[in-house]
Amino acid sequence: MASPMPPGAVSTPPAATEPGVAKQAKLWKRLWIALILALLVQALVSALVFHWVFEMDPQRAQFRREVFRAFMLQHGIGPPSPWRHLLMSPFFGTVVTAILLSLVTYPIMRRLTRRLENLQQGVRAWGGGDLSARVPVQGRDEVAQLAQSFNTAAGRIESLMQSHKSLLAYTSHELRTPLTRLRLSLETLSTPVPAAARDVAARAAKHDLAELDALIDDILLSSRLDAATGQTLQLEELDLLALLAEEAARFDVEVHGDWITLQGDERLLRRAVRNLLDNAQRHAPGAAPQVSLTAVQGGGIIRVCDQGPGIPPADAQRIFEPFERLSGRGEGTGLGLALVRRIARQHGGDARCLPRAGGGTCFEIWLGRKP
């Protein structure tokens, strides 16, 4: 009687086990055997055709034998023997050719199949959970292109998995703070407190709910941009200067610049401009930001400059990472500038942070080309 399986054990179907895979014939052996068999069949067919053409008529066949014997004697070669006839027969020549070709093609086929075996091992390791597994790219043929495509796809999926893990970790941390404040506000509202304290708790709860809503919206947009790069755009012909003026009007800011039309996703571009304006207003509330649009070959540059405390050059790239905040500037969701860069890259450009002359910071969105 079979022993019972231990608790928690998972049975493996016989068809999916490694021994079943190991029993399969090697590809190079099958190719080599197929080549030899093809050459042997060709030799047999050649021999049958030769016999049918030259041996069907006995008189002509005897005449050819006599002519061949006379030719051999004329050149000082002894009388032909059965072995000599065999050596000079088309069948024997084809067999020798088959053997020589098999010896020549064996290292070529073995090299090809070895690369396929390396690709198989890489795919198996990657499928087993090692997302960093890659395969060597050798040569310039279809196998090399397949290996390169696998490496590209594996790298993309690994990057997405790492991004999602980081996003999940950061999200759990970022959601905890407003949820804690919201719980405290609700506890305050549930206890008998003065009206003024209740008003303060109610306003704090509304603020925390708005922060949670903005954070969740940013997280969902970031996930969509990560999961479907280049596929989330709803391209249409846009008047970029009009779009920029409409968003700036929400903050009572004037826009100066060139008139530009380009193909873009209106919803995403509005979001990127709004994030920059909101960032400028938050860090320099006493002065209106300067907003401009400059036409460049193949696209345009949106520039939003504030008069805030500025950003150190060493942090100019770090601030575009998700949930990265500078010391002492903990406001916001931590995803605004990261979304700005991702939206710019979705449109074939990029985003960067530059110091502003006289103090402050300038954020630039390059559209249509990278700086």
Side-chain angles (χ1 to χ4, degrees):
M1 184 176 66
S3 60
M5 294 178 60
V10 179
S11 60
T12 304
T17 57
E18 285 297 322
V21 177
K23 291 180 180 178
Q24 296 179 357
K26 295 292 186 180
L27 179 61
W28 68 268
K29 290 182 179 179
R30 287 181 285 170
L31 290 175
W32 198 35
I33 293 173
L35 176 62
I36 294 176
L37 290 177
L39 292 173
L40 290 177
V41 170
Q42 190 268 340
L44 180 60
V45 172
S46 299
L48 292 176
V49 171
F50 183 84
H51 182 270
W52 180 76
V53 172
F54 294 101
E55 301 293 336
M56 291 299 293
D57 189 344
Q59 295 181 354
R60 291 185 178 181
Q62 182 63 30
F63 175 74
R64 292 189 185 94
R65 293 191 190 97
E66 295 297 333
V67 171
F68 178 71
R69 186 178 294 106
F71 175 80
M72 299 289 286
L73 294 174
Q74 182 179 1
H75 288 80
I77 302 175
S81 63
W83 287 105
R84 188 171 294 165
H85 273 293
L86 177 63
L87 292 175
M88 301 187 67
S89 66
F91 180 78
F92 181 81
T94 308
V95 171
V96 173
T97 303
I99 295 174
L100 293 177
L101 283 177
S102 64
L103 293 176
V104 171
T105 55
Y106 170 77
I108 299 176
M109 290 187 297
R110 191 68 189 97
R111 180 175 179 272
L112 172 64
T113 55
R114 186 178 291 111
R115 289 190 292 156
L116 291 175
E117 291 172 0
N118 293 335
L119 179 60
Q120 180 190 27
Q121 293 174 0
V123 173
R124 185 177 301 169
W126 186 82
D130 183 10
L131 298 183
S132 63
R134 301 292 185 271
V135 295
V137 180
Q138 301 172 342
R140 299 181 179 179
D141 53 8
E142 289 81 359
V143 178
Q145 294 177 3
L146 180 61
Q148 182 62 50
S149 299
F150 167 76
N151 290 341
T152 302
R156 175 62 180 162
I157 294 176
E158 182 184 17
S159 176
L160 285 175
M161 292 298 295
Q162 293 294 337
S163 177
H164 288 170
K165 288 180 181 179
S166 300
L167 185 62
L168 181 61
Y170 283 125
T171 299
S172 62
H173 174 73
E174 294 295 325
L175 288 175
R176 187 176 293 114
T177 301
L179 285 175
T180 301
R181 294 199 306 262
L182 182 60
R183 184 174 65 250
L184 294 176
S185 299
L186 292 176
E187 290 176 356
T188 302
L189 292 173
S190 63
T191 58
V193 294
R198 293 180 63 85
D199 292 340
V200 171
R203 286 195 298 269
K206 291 180 180 180
H207 179 271
D208 293 332
L209 285 175
E211 184 178 344
L212 282 173
D213 183 67
L215 178 59
I216 292 172
D217 187 42
D218 286 347
I219 290 172
L220 292 176
L221 179 57
S222 178
S223 298
R224 286 198 299 268
L225 293 176
D226 280 340
T229 302
Q231 301 177 7
T232 59
L233 296 183
Q234 299 177 1
L235 297 178
E236 55 182 308
E237 193 77 16
L238 296 177
D239 184 341
L240 195 56
L241 185 61
L243 183 149
L244 193 58
E246 291 175 6
E247 290 300 320
R250 299 171 179 265
F251 298 83
D252 294 328
V253 177
E254 295 184 356
V255 178
H256 303 279
D258 305 321
W259 178 73
I260 301 174
T261 59
L262 50 73
Q263 291 287 326
D265 189 310
E266 180 179 359
R267 176 179 57 89
L268 292 180
L269 289 177
R270 285 184 182 276
R271 182 60 173 273
V273 173
R274 196 175 306 162
N275 285 356
L276 290 184
L277 290 170
D278 181 69
N279 182 77
Q281 187 182 59
R282 186 166 57 249
H283 292 99
Q290 298 177 356
V291 184
S292 63
L293 178 62
T294 304
V296 295
Q297 185 177 3
I301 306 173
I302 299 174
R303 186 177 289 106
V304 178
C305 299
D306 61 53
Q307 300 179 29
I311 295 175
D315 297 323
Q317 292 297 322
R318 185 171 66 87
I319 59 173
F320 288 103
E321 297 297 326
F323 300 107
E324 286 288 344
R325 298 188 182 95
L326 299 183
S327 177
R329 308 181 196 181
E331 298 180 357
T333 65
L335 282 172
L337 294 178
L339 289 176
V340 169
R341 168 163 282 183
R342 290 178 183 177
I343 292 172
R345 289 179 175 177
Q346 286 270 358
H347 288 79
D350 208 339
R352 64 181 182 178
C353 172
L354 300 173
R356 177 179 178 273
T361 306
C362 285
F363 287 94
E364 293 183 348
I365 299 178
W366 291 64
L367 299 176
R369 51 167 291 187
K370 292 187 177 182

